């Protein structure tokens, strides 16, 4: 066989491969492992959405190829969600929305619509790894925007050199943020839209966690900024609000030229989302509150156990107002990787090393809230045993 393409060769080795091997070995040996590692809801999809899938799966019309842009009724549900949830009333479902096979698919594929070899994307560090790896797969180059605790994990857009900003194609943003749990307000999005106009950059805002928020905080959409549609698209997902990660349904909304380019690209590489899945997703989007209020209460209770427990050990963490992640510094004497390894070996608890989300994540770990309360409490008890009190 000839060499693999350079685009795949250059993808860095999977950073969690080591720890995943250790987890598998520990489970094999019969050890009781508690995973705070993966960001995948443990709660089931709401029953009425499952029933909507079953009902529509019986209809033979839905057994044929869907349109790759998605059913108009699904896209209308997205537009209605924007109107009701964000007060954004001017999303045209025919031209400004496209269904996605999970938002990850669109987040990766939009690169092929904008990025030619050597083009620059602006990518936060740390961040969801797909922004960087998909940029590279499309032949692009990542320019890192470090996210620092001192700035609330918001990028300093003014610090980007003008010649870089002028050349950049895409600016990736994600609030509520994976992995830091940071949230933002509309003022930051206004600043980002002004930046995008000044430098003719397309903002790709990943709003996967818009509904996973706590303590009364309500996450905005970047499309609430007047005129944002001229320079921005937003990615949304049914995965996190409706516990539908396995179903694969998300959407892009915003700039018509970008949405149309992605739909064109997709019509050549996939054939859309199973319509019964779209019917279930659309039912969720038309009445999101019913589904998310229960999950929110559960995540918030788990968060309080986790953050409270860590703080009793010596951390000084504020409770995240969004996402289901707690992002915390590792104690003195550890790297991200060595701390994750220590906690796995000594407490049988899986956490993720922050360095897996970019070099600026070194010195941090991420723990997820997708584990039920009594297991969360058990994880904390084991960590207390293994660590005693910590210093930084
Ligand atoms: C989970 C997640 C997604 C997307 O999930 P899909 O299931 O592909 O819709 C996108 N962005 C971030 C930051 C996520 O954590």
């Amino acid at each position: 066989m000839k060499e693999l393409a350079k685009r795949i060769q250059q993808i860095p080795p999977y950073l969690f491969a080591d720890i995943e091997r250790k987890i598998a070995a520990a489970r094999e040996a019969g050890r009781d492992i508690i995973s705070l590692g993966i960001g995948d809801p443990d709660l089931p999809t709401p029953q009425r959405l499952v029933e909507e899938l079953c009902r529509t799966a019986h209809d033979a019309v839905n057994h044929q190829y869907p349109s790759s842009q998605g059913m108009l009724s699904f896209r209308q549900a997205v537009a209605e969600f924007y109107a009701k949830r964000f007060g954004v009333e001017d999303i045209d479902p025919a031209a400004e929305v496209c269904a996605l096979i999970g938002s990850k698919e669109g987040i990766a594929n939009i690169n092929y619509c904008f990025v030619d070899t050597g083009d620059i994307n602006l990518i936060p560090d740390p961040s969801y790894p797909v922004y960087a790896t998909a940029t590279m797969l499309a032949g692009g180059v990542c320019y890192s925007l470090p996210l620092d605790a001192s700035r609330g994990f918001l990028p300093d857009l003014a610090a980007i050199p003008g010649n870089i900003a002028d050349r950049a194609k895409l600016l990736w943003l994600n609030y509520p943020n994976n992995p830091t749990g940071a949230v933002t307000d509309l003022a930051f999005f206004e600043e980002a839209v002004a930046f995008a106009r000044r430098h003719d950059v397309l903002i790709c805002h990943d709003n996967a966690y818009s509904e996973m928020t706590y303590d009364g905080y309500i996450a905005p959409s970047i499309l609430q900024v007047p005129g944002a549609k001229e320079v921005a698209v937003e990615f949304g997902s049914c995965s996190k609000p409706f516990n539908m990660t396995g179903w694969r349904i998300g959407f892009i909304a915003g700039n018509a030229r970008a949405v149309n380019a992605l739909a064109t690209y997709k019509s050549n590489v996939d054939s859309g989302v199973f319509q019964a899945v779209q019917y279930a997703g659309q039912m969720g989007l038309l009445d999101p509150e019913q589904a998310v209020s229960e999950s929110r209460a559960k995540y918030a209770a788990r968060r309080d156990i986790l953050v409270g427990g860590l703080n009793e050990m010596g951390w000084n963490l504020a409770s995240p107002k969004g996402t289901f992640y707690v992002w915390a510094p590792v104690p003195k004497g550890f790297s991200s990787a060595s701390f994750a390894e220590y906690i796995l070996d000594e407490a049988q608890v899986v956490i993720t090393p922050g360095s897996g989300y970019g070099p600026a994540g070194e010195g941090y770990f991420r723990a997820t809230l997708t584990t039920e309360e009594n297991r969360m409490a058990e994880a904390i008890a084991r960590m207390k045993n293994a660590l005693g009190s910590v210093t930084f």
Side-chain angles (χ1 to χ4, degrees):
M1 210 200 312
K2 299 250 169 48
E3 290 242 310
L4 295 174
K6 289 189 184 61
R7 77 175 63 84
I8 198 78
Q9 286 189 48
Q10 66 174 340
I11 298 300
Y14 187 52
L15 270 152
F16 309 132
D18 244 15
I19 197 152
E20 280 188 354
R21 219 171 300 120
K22 291 198 85 170
I23 295 164
R27 290 214 159 111
E28 192 108 320
R31 284 159 61 196
D32 173 33
I33 303 286
I34 301 176
S35 179
L36 309 182
I38 36 168
D40 190 347
D42 58 315
L43 308 168
T45 308
Q47 192 58 29
R48 68 196 174 97
L49 304 192
V50 176
E51 271 153 24
E52 181 68 353
L53 169 93
C54 294
R55 189 184 70 78
T56 52
H58 284 296
D59 187 345
V61 169
N62 297 325
H63 300 172
Q64 296 187 281
Y65 283 124
S67 104
S68 68
Q69 198 179 350
M71 301 186 302
L72 185 59
S73 67
F74 175 80
R75 289 179 280 143
Q76 280 166 336
V78 172
E80 199 172 316
F81 172 70
Y82 269 86
K84 279 198 193 147
R85 167 64 177 81
F86 299 114
V88 176
E89 299 192 334
D90 61 344
I91 301 290
D92 175 1
E96 295 174 336
V97 180
C98 179
L100 299 172
I101 310 170
S103 63
K104 182 182 190 178
E105 176 262 300
I107 288 169
N109 281 332
I110 198 163
N111 285 285
Y112 292 97
C113 304
F114 285 93
V115 176
D116 284 316
T117 304
D119 283 350
I120 293 173
N121 284 345
L122 306 172
I123 308 213
D125 171 14
S127 64
Y128 183 56
V130 182
Y131 312 142
T133 52
T135 296
M136 292 159 67
L137 287 172
V141 176
C142 305
Y143 183 88
S144 287
L145 311 179
L147 303 186
D148 199 84
S150 66
R151 295 183 51 87
F153 298 107
L154 295 173
D156 185 358
L157 299 176
I160 302 168
N163 62 326
I164 298 286
D166 285 337
R167 277 181 59 200
K169 288 285 184 77
L170 307 179
L171 165 61
W172 284 96
L173 297 173
N174 164 224
Y175 295 95
N177 183 263
N178 177 6
T180 67
V183 297
T184 190
D185 54 14
L186 205 54
F188 172 70
F189 286 149
E190 281 164 2
E191 186 195 327
V193 166
F195 171 90
R197 279 187 199 290
R198 208 153 49 237
H199 298 287
D200 196 19
V201 169
L202 179 70
I203 299 173
C204 294
H205 181 237
D206 178 355
N207 213 354
Y209 294 95
S210 66
E211 307 314 298
M212 308 329 297
T213 56
Y214 318 106
D215 306 340
Y217 170 77
I218 296 172
S221 159
I222 198 164
L223 300 180
Q224 285 170 242
V225 178
K229 271 197 312 195
E230 290 156 33
V231 293
V233 288
E234 191 157 74
F235 290 87
S237 176
C238 296
S239 290
K240 313 291 161 63
F242 311 128
N243 308 321
M244 290 176 78
T245 49
W247 297 49
R248 311 315 300 137
I249 178 139
F251 53 85
I252 180 175
N255 184 271
R257 196 161 68 96
V259 168
N260 182 53
L262 184 55
T264 301
Y265 181 85
K266 283 170 58 57
S267 69
N268 287 284
V269 300
D270 67 58
S271 299
V273 179
F274 180 31
Q275 291 195 3
V277 170
Q278 293 187 58
Y279 279 114
Q282 125 188 356
M283 180 180 264
L285 289 168
L286 290 173
D287 184 9
E289 209 45 38
Q290 192 178 328
V292 294
S293 54
E294 201 180 318
S295 325
R296 274 191 194 125
K298 290 208 165 101
Y299 291 133
R302 296 164 177 186
R303 175 199 67 171
D304 293 345
I305 294 171
L306 181 60
V307 171
L310 291 171
N311 285 350
E312 279 169 26
M313 278 179 253
W315 270 272
N316 182 23
L317 304 170
S319 289
K321 288 193 160 43
T323 74
F324 36 65
Y325 304 110
V326 170
W327 182 249
V330 300
K332 203 184 206 151
F334 288 104
S335 67
S336 287
S338 73
F339 187 64
E341 207 171 319
Y342 181 81
I343 292 301
L344 177 60
D345 289 342
E346 303 300 321
Q348 335 290 338
V349 171
V350 178
I351 53 173
T352 326
S355 50
Y357 303 92
E362 178 52 51
Y364 285 88
F365 71 92
R366 193 193 78 171
T368 65
L369 304 175
T370 52
T371 300
E372 56 177 335
E373 281 178 53
N374 59 345
R375 293 290 277 172
M376 189 67 85
E378 168 71 15
I380 283 293
R382 292 184 190 179
M383 285 176 74
K384 278 183 179 161
N385 261 337
L387 286 166
S389 65
V390 295
T391 52
F392 295 91

